[in-house]
Amino acid sequence: ASRGPTYEGEEAFLQLVRRFVDVGGSIAGLMEEAVPANVWIDRRSGDLVHGGEIPRLRDLDVIPSPYLAGLMDPYYSTGLFPLMQISRGCPFTCAFCNSAAADNNKIHRHSLENIQRDLEHIARRVAPETPLCLADDNFGMYPWDEEVAEVIHHLQDRFGWPHYIRTTT
């Protein structure tokens, strides 16, 4: 299987934190050897240190939800709004887009059950005028997006949220 550029940060960040803990919290110790999916410039030599690539996540449900963990709750009243990425990847090869990489052309997504749990958690905590932002490359293009739209419609009926949906397609 191809192991091209890694465009996802969860596993790369986890590898970095694990290495940092393993070396006792020392930045110098962290940088003694390459860390998978991480890149930096060695301060002494000026050389590029590249930890190699790691495979993309196929099942996005392995990423713990910051919403269900309550990590986002303090921000709901600040004017910031919830942002969710339901699926990743893009089948197109547009020259202007960073999602056009060949290794990023397969679509991987969260399960409808996890999406529904996240959205309901948010709906119970935000003001109805708080927007929802969907950060998928192509939201609305796939059949499962209709299922997500139905969940959102149900939340609008039940909680009056969201009034406004932003997308970053």
Side-chain angles (χ1 to χ4, degrees):
S2 172
R3 291 182 59 171
T6 305
Y7 294 105
E8 299 172 324
E10 293 87 4
E11 183 65 28
F13 186 67
L14 180 60
Q15 293 287 336
L16 190 67
V17 170
R18 283 182 176 157
R19 171 84 176 138
F20 187 67
V21 169
D22 289 347
V23 298
S26 162
I27 292 177
L30 168 76
M31 299 180 106
E32 285 179 2
E33 62 184 59
V35 177
N38 284 268
V39 179
W40 63 80
I41 296 174
D42 184 290
R43 291 182 185 180
R44 295 170 298 221
S45 69
D47 293 337
L48 185 68
V49 178
H50 193 292
E53 306 301 340
I54 58 176
R56 288 182 60 209
L57 295 174
R58 293 186 183 279
D59 177 9
L60 299 186
D61 285 350
V62 302
I63 304 167
S65 168
Y67 295 104
L68 296 180
L71 297 173
M72 308 313 286
D73 289 1
Y75 301 100
Y76 295 140
S77 63
T78 66
L80 298 174
F81 52 85
L83 178 136
M84 292 182 63
Q85 186 177 45
I86 293 167
S87 65
R88 291 182 178 170
C90 182
F92 303 113
T93 57
C94 305
F96 60 83
C97 184
N98 70 323
S99 294
D103 288 339
N104 195 39
N105 67 355
K106 298 276 190 265
I107 311 304
H108 304 294
R109 67 186 189 106
H110 286 282
S111 67
L112 184 62
E113 296 78 24
N114 279 11
I115 296 164
Q116 189 167 1
R117 281 194 294 270
D118 274 349
L119 287 171
E120 186 162 330
H121 178 91
I122 295 165
R124 292 177 182 277
R125 289 162 175 79
V126 298
E129 61 274 6
T130 302
L132 168 65
C133 185
L134 299 176
D136 291 21
D137 288 326
N138 297 296
F139 184 79
M141 191 172 95
Y142 303 105
W144 60 75
D145 294 334
E146 286 186 50
E147 296 173 337
V148 174
E150 288 177 16
V151 169
I152 292 170
H153 179 76
H154 171 74
L155 295 172
Q156 288 172 323
D157 286 346
R158 187 169 171 202
F159 298 100
W161 177 83
H163 289 189
Y164 180 75
I165 300 171
R166 297 177 59 166
T167 60
T168 60
T169 58

